[in-house]
Amino acid sequence: MSTTNKELMKNGLWNNNPAIVQLLGLCPLLAVSATVTNALGLGIATTMVLVGSNLIVSLVRQWVPSEVRIPVFVMIIASLVTCVQLLMNAFTYGLYQSLGIFIPLIVTNCIIIGRAESFASKNDPIPATLDGLWMGLGMTAALVVLGAMREILGNGTLFDGADRLLGDWASILRIEVFHFDSSFLLAMLPPGAFIGVGFMIALKNVIDKKREQKHATEKPKPTIERVRVTSPN
């Protein structure tokens, strides 16, 4: 793995994660992550659009005047979102109905237009594609972790409705962690998601602080060379 790819991977998945560091795309993050299935479905759709838009923007950046670059980028993103929406309508109709308006709203996701403007329009196609991939996977990871937290606390299950994303065979993936007589409503509502995001950000900050302290203690002390000066007799 090249140094550039490692740096892009670290930025997308951890150091500059779009959801818990840049705090972009909070609307779908809070509204759709009630279950792992919904979170994973939206994360995959967003990643596909991110990769495609970064690649196309990087390829056409030399021919797009700077004065109209934002409208052109939005048209590219909207075209890709339409393709993803039609694919989901054809192959994952149950998930398509569950996600509803949040599929076309990917067009307005600040992560996608932000990466197109700040990175893809200034870099070659391969780095731009890798940036879109890792940023999308970082967003997907945050969605899935938050979705798992909310689904366990709210319903006591994991991968409920996985058949809507992966087909009928995936119904066996449903795990009942514990049984609820009545669901924990706060975890399933957007305020519960907001609290969950806060805990995720706090946990990341704690981990980063621990790593910084560890590196500081492991950093070798500089050796001081002593010079002996002898006075002539």
Side-chain angles (χ1 to χ4, degrees), residues 39-135:
L40 185 60
L42 186 66
I44 293 173
T46 304
T47 302
M48 292 172 62
V49 175
L50 256 171
V51 171
S53 63
N54 272 20
L55 174 61
I56 296 173
V57 167
S58 179
L59 289 172
V60 304
R61 70 187 191 280
Q62 297 178 353
W63 293 279
V64 178
S66 59
E67 295 82 3
V68 295
R69 66 187 187 282
I70 299 300
V72 172
F73 295 167
V74 172
M75 289 177 60
I76 293 170
I77 295 168
S79 301
L80 291 170
V81 170
T82 301
C83 294
V84 170
Q85 185 176 3
L86 292 173
L87 287 172
M88 293 184 71
N89 192 4
F91 296 105
T92 58
Y93 185 69
L95 184 64
Y96 171 80
Q97 286 186 314
S98 180
L99 295 178
I101 190 62
F102 290 99
I103 301 175
L105 280 180
I106 294 175
V107 177
T108 63
N109 196 319
C110 299
I111 301 170
I112 302 174
I113 189 65
R115 299 317 297 174
E117 169 64 18
S118 65
F119 194 91
S121 62
K122 300 178 178 66
N123 290 274
D124 293 332
I126 293 179
T129 303
L130 291 174
D131 176 75
L133 174 64
W134 293 119
M135 284 291 168

Side-chain angles (χ1 to χ4, degrees), residues 60 81 118 125 183 202 209 226 228:
V60 304
V81 170
S118 65
S183 61
K209 189 173 181 180
R226 299 181 180 273
R228 176 176 294 180

